């Protein structure tokens, strides 16, 4: 780039700042820089503005919201940090600054490396899988808390639980939340709660702090205890921007201990409102039902008449029916009398000759007797012929002449030798009784019975 210029080569301030920005961004790669945070401002937009200084100099820095939200700790005034970013220029004010991509507490590089290493290993084992996460009980009978009795987080959790649902018992499983043996005692408290099965849900919590303060909840022994616990666990460790291994393994992660208490406890005010809404709905439904039934009762009452009125109407109807019946009977008797008179006059005109009819009746009687005798004789002859034929066909008569009937064991008569197997037992029915016989075919004529 040629910086030689003449009087006519005048550039604007914006052009100058743009040139400086391009030089900085192209000439200096992203690098790690260490120092102390000062003049920290957390804007409403979620961005962080601060200065990074050492004993002899300082530089302005900006960390935008989407980068800031990924930090495992909260920025604080005076914090010693190591950050990585791009050195650039904010053209509008001409401020030389660093756009920060990531950040870590100074000297904690090894802790972050250990955190990421354990996180990746447990994730590969499936301890973070959503499929193994258990739902939280909607109305727990008892709630357990694993934290230090002296922790401010315990007071926040208990206060929230008492405010939301004071009737739920709370059981504390005490354990220190930081220090050399804290991880082992936290894991022991979780295992103790899992074995006792006294509670329906367990809160593992502590307040915010630095990564060193929260490191007990990044230990593998705690992660294994959370994964093995038979009770659903809510992790409420640190503040909203703090993330621990315990958060990833737990069934639910709460941004704060207070939020954890709100997750596991029903809200009595909401329940009262729901109950009141249900009560009002029931009252409205019952009111509508009563109105409907009252209208129905009024309708039926209008249809229901006095028994005296009903009897009078029925008496009047009975009298009218009796009058109609009497008129009908009188008309019927009159028609019958007229018909009888008409028939009598016809009978008088067609009076039969009784003597002639009697003679004819006698002749018919005699002829009937002759026909009956002839029919009986004919039927007797037929019967005799049938008796002779039946006697001739009677198998008993055949048997009396020395013949026999061959039957199988089921009583079926045998008509052909082919129906019998060799050595098969058969019945011989004779004139004076029944005996058995064994079939002996000529060899090869019939297959033998299987034995």
């Amino acid at each position: 780039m040629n910086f030689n210029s003449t009087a006519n080569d005048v550039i604007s301030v914006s052009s100058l700042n743009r040139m400086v920005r391009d030089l900085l961004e192209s000439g200096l790669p992203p690098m790690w820089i260490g120092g102390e945070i000062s003049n920290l401002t957390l804007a409403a937009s979620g961005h962080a503005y601060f200065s990074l200084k050492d004993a002899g100099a300082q530089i302005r820095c900006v960390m935008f919201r989407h980068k800031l939200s990924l930090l495992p700790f909260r920025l604080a005034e005076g914090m010693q940090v190591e950050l990585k970013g791009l050195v650039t220029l904010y053209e509008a004010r001409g401020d030389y600054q660093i756009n920060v991509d990531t950040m870590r507490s100074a000297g904690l590089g090894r802790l972050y490396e250990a955190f990421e290493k354990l996180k990746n290993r447990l994730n590969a084992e499936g301890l973070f899988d959503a499929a193994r996460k258990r739902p939280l009980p909607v109305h727990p009978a008892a709630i357990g808390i694993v934290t230090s009795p002296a922790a401010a987080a315990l007071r926040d959790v208990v206060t929230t639980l008492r405010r939301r649902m004071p009737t739920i018992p709370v059981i504390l499983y005490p354990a220190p939340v930081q220090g050399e043996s804290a991880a082992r005692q936290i894991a022991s408290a979780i295992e103790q709660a899992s074995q006792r099965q006294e509670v329906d849900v367990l809160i593992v919590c502590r307040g915010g702090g630095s990564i060193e303060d929260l490191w007990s909840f990044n230990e593998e022994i705690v992660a294994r205890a959370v994964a093995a616990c038979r009770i659903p666990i809510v992790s409420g460790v640190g503040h909203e921007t703090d993330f621990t291994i315990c958060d990833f393994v737990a069934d639910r992660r709460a941004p704060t201990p207070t939020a954890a208490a709100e997750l596991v406890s029903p809200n009595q005010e909401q329940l009262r409102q729901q109950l009141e809404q249900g009560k009002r709905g029931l009252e409205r439904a019952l009111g509508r039902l009563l109105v409907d039934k009252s209208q129905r009762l009024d309708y039926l009452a209008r249809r229901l008449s006095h028994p005296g009125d009903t009897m009078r109407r029925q008496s009047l109807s009975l009298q009218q029916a009796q009058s109609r019946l009497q008129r009908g009977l009188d008309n019927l008797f009159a028609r019958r009398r007229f018909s009888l008179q008409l028939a009598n006059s016809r009978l008088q005109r067609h009076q039969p000759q009784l003597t002639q009819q009697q003679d004819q009746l006698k002749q018919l009687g005699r002829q009937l007797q002759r026909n009956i005798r002839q029919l009986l004789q004919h039927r007797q002859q037929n019967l005799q012929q049938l008796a002779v034929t039946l006697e001739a066909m009677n198998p008993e008569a055949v048997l009396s002449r020395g013949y026999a009937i061959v039957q199988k064991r089921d009583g079926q008569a045998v008509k052909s030798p082919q129906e019998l197997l060799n050595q098969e037992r058969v019945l011989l029915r004779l004139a004076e009784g029944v005996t058995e016989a064994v079939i002996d075919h000529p060899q090869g004529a019939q297959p033998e019975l299987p034995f």
Side-chain angles (χ1 to χ4, degrees):
M1 183 179 295
N2 185 10
F3 291 99
N4 296 324
S5 62
T6 64
N8 294 327
D9 295 330
V10 179
I11 63 174
S12 65
V13 175
S14 298
S15 299
L16 175 62
N17 283 351
R18 190 175 304 111
M19 293 169 62
V20 173
R21 185 199 66 188
D22 293 340
L23 284 172
L24 289 173
E25 292 181 357
S26 61
L28 296 175
M31 61 186 69
W32 283 98
I33 307 167
E36 177 186 336
I37 293 178
S38 65
N39 301 318
L40 175 64
T41 300
L42 297 176
S45 60
H47 309 322
Y49 301 93
F50 58 93
S51 296
L52 187 68
K53 68 178 184 178
D54 58 18
Q58 65 179 7
I59 183 174
R60 296 188 62 82
C61 301
V62 59
M63 191 170 193
F64 296 110
R65 180 178 59 189
H66 64 285
K67 300 290 186 181
L68 184 64
S69 62
L70 300 178
L71 291 182
F73 57 89
R74 297 185 67 181
L75 297 183
E77 188 77 20
M79 180 181 291
Q80 293 290 331
V81 298
E82 296 171 351
L83 57 82
K84 183 179 182 181
L86 181 66
V87 179
T88 184
L89 183 80
Y90 181 50
E91 299 178 32
R93 291 199 304 267
D95 287 340
Y96 158 65
Q97 65 180 18
I98 301 175
N99 284 349
V100 181
D101 287 330
T102 185
M103 185 187 302
R104 65 193 180 197
S105 294
L108 297 180
R110 286 178 297 174
L111 288 180
Y112 283 112
E113 291 177 5
F115 176 87
E116 290 296 330
K117 184 177 179 181
L118 178 60
K119 176 183 174 184
N120 294 333
R121 179 158 58 85
L122 296 181
N123 187 31
E125 292 182 21
L127 265 66
F128 302 167
D129 291 349
R132 61 169 296 277
K133 306 290 184 178
R134 294 161 295 188
L136 303 182
V138 179
H139 297 285
I143 297 173
I145 305 174
V146 174
T147 192
S148 170
L154 177 62
R155 293 191 296 274
D156 295 341
V157 170
V158 172
T159 300
T160 302
L161 294 177
R162 290 290 178 261
R163 172 175 53 82
R164 290 174 61 86
M165 186 58 69
T167 59
I168 298 180
V170 177
I171 299 177
L172 175 65
Y173 300 92
V177 292
Q178 69 182 75
E180 184 176 350
S181 63
R184 179 176 53 81
Q185 295 188 55
I186 291 170
S188 176
I190 295 173
E191 293 170 358
Q192 185 181 38
S194 179
Q195 292 174 359
R196 289 184 181 179
Q197 292 289 298
E198 300 169 312
V199 297
D200 296 329
V201 65
L202 191 63
I203 298 175
V204 178
C205 65
R206 70 148 288 160
S210 65
I211 188 171
E212 301 100 319
D213 297 334
L214 304 179
W215 192 253
S216 298
F217 297 90
N218 290 323
E219 296 284 356
E220 183 174 359
I221 187 173
V222 174
R224 298 290 183 187
V226 171
C229 185
R230 293 181 292 172
I231 303 170
I233 291 181
V234 176
S235 175
V237 178
H239 297 293
E240 187 170 356
T241 57
D242 296 327
F243 284 88
T244 64
I245 299 295
C246 180
D247 294 335
F248 297 112
V249 182
D251 296 288
R252 290 286 296 275
R253 185 246 177 194
T256 63
T258 300
E262 293 176 349
L263 277 176
V264 302
S265 61
N267 191 336
Q268 63 177 351
E269 292 301 326
Q270 292 180 354
L271 293 178
R272 287 195 184 98
Q273 292 175 4
Q274 294 174 2
L275 184 61
E276 187 63 28
Q277 291 176 357
K279 177 183 176 183
R280 289 196 295 268
L282 183 61
E283 289 175 348
R284 288 193 297 269
L286 184 59
R288 288 194 298 268
L289 180 62
L290 289 175
V291 170
D292 293 342
K293 295 303 181 182
S294 298
Q295 293 178 350
R296 178 66 177 170
L297 181 61
D298 293 340
Y299 171 72
L300 294 176
R302 289 193 297 268
R303 295 184 58 187
L304 182 63
S305 59
H306 193 274
D309 298 335
T310 303
M311 293 181 64
R312 283 190 291 273
R313 287 195 302 270
Q314 292 178 350
S315 177
L316 180 60
S317 298
L318 182 61
Q319 292 176 2
Q320 293 174 352
Q322 184 177 6
S323 300
R324 290 196 298 271
L325 179 61
Q326 186 63 44
R327 290 194 299 270
L329 290 175
D330 292 342
N331 294 333
L332 179 60
F333 289 153
R335 289 196 299 273
R336 290 291 186 267
R337 281 195 297 270
F338 176 75
S339 298
L340 183 58
Q341 292 173 358
L342 182 60
N344 188 31
S345 62
R346 290 177 179 174
L347 182 60
Q348 292 297 330
R349 290 196 302 270
H350 299 285
Q351 187 173 4
Q353 300 295 327
L354 294 179
T355 302
Q356 182 180 357
Q357 296 293 333
Q358 289 175 353
D359 293 340
Q360 185 178 2
L361 181 60
K362 289 178 181 180
Q363 291 177 2
L364 291 174
R366 287 192 294 271
Q367 183 178 359
L368 178 60
Q369 290 178 357
R370 287 195 300 272
N371 291 338
I372 291 174
R373 283 194 298 272
Q374 291 175 0
L375 179 61
L376 287 175
Q377 291 174 359
H378 179 70
R379 294 296 173 85
Q380 287 175 354
Q381 291 174 1
N382 289 339
L383 182 60
Q384 291 174 358
Q385 291 177 358
L386 292 173
V388 172
T389 302
L390 181 62
E391 182 64 26
M393 299 296 292
N394 186 4
E396 298 293 338
V398 177
L399 295 178
S400 66
R401 294 199 297 272
Y403 291 95
I405 298 175
V406 181
Q407 294 178 317
K408 289 193 174 185
R409 302 292 294 178
D410 59 0
Q412 179 181 358
V414 178
K415 299 179 182 179
S416 170
Q418 299 301 322
E419 300 179 13
L420 299 173
L421 299 174
N422 195 25
Q423 300 302 313
E424 181 179 358
R425 289 184 176 272
V426 296
L427 299 177
L428 297 181
R429 186 173 296 279
L430 305 173
E432 296 183 358
V434 179
T435 186
E436 290 188 355
V438 177
I439 300 303
D440 188 9
H441 282 293
Q443 187 171 3
Q446 194 75 311
E448 295 187 356
L449 289 172
F451 293 99

